Each structure stands twice: as structure tokens, then as C-alpha cells.
Amino acid sequence: MVGRFIVADGIEGAGKTTQLAFMHEYLEQAGYSVVVTREPGGTTLGEEIRALLLGHRHDGMALTTETLLMFAARAEHLERVIRPALGRGDWVLCDRFTDATYAYQGGGRGLALEQIADLETWVQGHLRPDLTLLFDLSVEVGLARAGKRSAADRFEQEDQAFFERVRATYWERALQNPNRYRIVNANQPIEAVRREVESILAAITL
Ligand code: Z5A
């Protein structure tokens, strides 16, 4: 069996984590062996890097440092989790991946996209997701959903303009790679989003 690498991405509060749980259930019921993971994180070292990236101990961290830490966590994740799972024929469902680096460090913070592309090639070689579900919704709704949770992390404290740039960058990438992306309207009730996601999964598991 050939494994597939599927990523859920989008702005803050888009409902990725909620929908990944449904995707996991759907694929397991269809008989696939599934690994669910996330970025930054997914390994012991990656989760420690995540704490450095999201916490406030290093507010004002240089953009280069932030980007390299994202890719350091990703290198570990690829080596220990993603490549071995795909090698076994498992399906990998990942909450965020390199599109988030383009969107947040590139679009949001202004790092040149070519520099991110260089790191992507170095760390990933030819590996890219087979499919990326972009959960799209207005920044206002996303921030309102996320705001109902715990205190803001280092990314969540950014302003609306930052998240508008992040969202625009996801859209640009999706439009440039239409074969790899499916845009999901995340501005609907959970059950309606779930139905859209299930129809995408049904089409690729035929
Ligand atoms: N980051 C980066 O900068 N560069 C990178 O390369 C990578 C990441 C990989 C952590 O990501 C941060 O890392 C992220 C970008 C940065 N920061 N930001 N912003 P994360 O994915 O762990 O954190 P997150 O985006 O903050 O996740 P999130 O807010 O938890 O979003 P979500 O997973 O998309 O949403 P959710 O947890 O499923 O739902 C949020 C709430 O909304 C929850 O109460 C749900 O019950 C509710 N919800 C969900 N769907 C709906 C619908 N349809 N209607 C109403 N309410 C809903």
C-alpha cells in the first residue's frame, strides 16, 4: 500500500484540529493506517522547539532564528515520523506544514519566499504533501474563535493586518498549485465543513 501525506492548514481558528479528528476517523473506518501529527512539533525535540517558538520567553526572536527553528523541528519530524510512516504505507495527517512557513514567516513577517524555498529544498528534498486542505475563513471569525481559548501565544498576539497577509499568502500558494490544494470553506458550522472534507476524502479513497 502506498502512503499519502495530507496536510491541514489555514489561519488561526480555522478548525484544522477539529476537522483532522474527523479525517482520522473517516480514514480509519475506510481501512487505512493513519498517523496524526502536527507542526511545529510531532517529536520530543520538535515539541520542545514548539514551546520555544510559541511561548513568550523569547519575544522578539529574530525572524531568521524563528524560521530556522521551524525547519529544525521539521527536519526531525520528517526523519522520525513522516518518512518512516509513509515508508510503511501509512497515511500521514499533519496539522500545518511548510505552507505555514510561507504564510507566516513569508507573508506575515516579510521573509523572502525564495529563502523559504531554499530551506524547503534542503530539508525536504523532493518531499511535498500529496494534498493540502486549506481551511479558509475571514480573519475576524478565525480570531474570534481562537480568542475564546487560553492566553495568546507569540503568533496569536499579532494584529489583524498580519493575519490578512497570512491568509493572502495561503491563497496565492493555493492558486499557484491547484492540483495539490483543496480550499475548504471553514466559515460554516462544523458539520457543514465536515461534509466538505468528507467529499474530498471520498474522492481520493475511491
Ligand atoms: N507556525 C508558523 O508560524 N510557521 C510554521 O511553519 C508553522 C507554524 C508550522 C501554532 O500552530 C502556530 O505556529 C501558528 C502558526 C505558527 N500560530 N498561529 N496563529 P497551531 O496550528 O498549533 O495553532 P493555531 O493555528 O493557533 O491552531 P488553532 O487556533 O487551534 O486553530 P485550528 O486548529 O485551526 O482550530 P480548532 O482548534 O479546530 O478550533 C478552534 C476553536 O474553534 C475551537 O473552540 C473549536 O471548537 C472552534 N471551531 C472549529 N471549527 C468551527 C466551526 N466550523 N464553527 C465554529 N467553531 C468552530
Side-chain angles (χ1 to χ4, degrees), residues 43-119:
T43 64
T44 309
L45 176 53
E47 292 294 328
E48 289 184 20
I49 294 173
R50 179 187 176 92
L52 294 174
L53 281 163
L54 300 194
H56 291 282
R57 276 174 60 209
H58 305 289
D59 275 342
M61 172 187 303
L63 177 53
T64 306
T65 310
E66 180 177 291
T67 307
L68 290 172
L69 284 174
M70 291 292 176
F71 273 102
R74 185 162 297 138
E76 193 72 7
H77 197 201
L78 284 162
E79 174 85 13
R80 302 204 180 279
V81 177
I82 298 175
R83 288 190 192 280
L86 294 173
R88 290 190 302 268
D90 293 350
W91 285 45
V92 176
L93 298 181
C94 192
D95 196 336
R96 296 194 185 278
F97 195 61
T98 307
D99 287 304
T101 316
Y102 281 99
Y104 282 80
Q105 282 64 52
R109 300 225 199 273
L111 185 67
L113 301 185
E114 299 74 34
Q115 286 187 296
I116 299 171
D118 287 345
L119 288 169

Side-chain angles (χ1 to χ4, degrees), residues 8-20 22 38-41 50 53-54 66-67 69-71 73-74 94-106 109 116 135 137 141-149 153-158 162-163 166 170 185-194:
D9 226 316
I11 62 163
E12 174 78 349
K16 302 170 276 87
T17 313
T18 305
Q19 296 297 329
L20 275 169
F22 295 144
R38 69 172 181 179
E39 291 214 345
R50 179 187 176 92
L53 281 163
L54 300 194
E66 180 177 291
T67 307
L69 284 174
M70 291 292 176
F71 273 102
R74 185 162 297 138
C94 192
D95 196 336
R96 296 194 185 278
F97 195 61
T98 307
D99 287 304
T101 316
Y102 281 99
Y104 282 80
Q105 282 64 52
R109 300 225 199 273
I116 299 171
F135 289 90
L137 80 173
V141 174
L143 292 181
R145 283 184 196 165
K148 289 187 189 147
R149 296 172 314 180
D153 66 32
R154 228 170 44 78
F155 293 94
E156 290 166 344
Q157 68 186 4
E158 294 295 337
F162 173 88
F163 288 103
V166 170
Y170 277 124
N185 176 7
N187 228 344
Q188 321 174 68
I190 290 179
E191 275 308 312
V193 180
R194 179 181 181 154

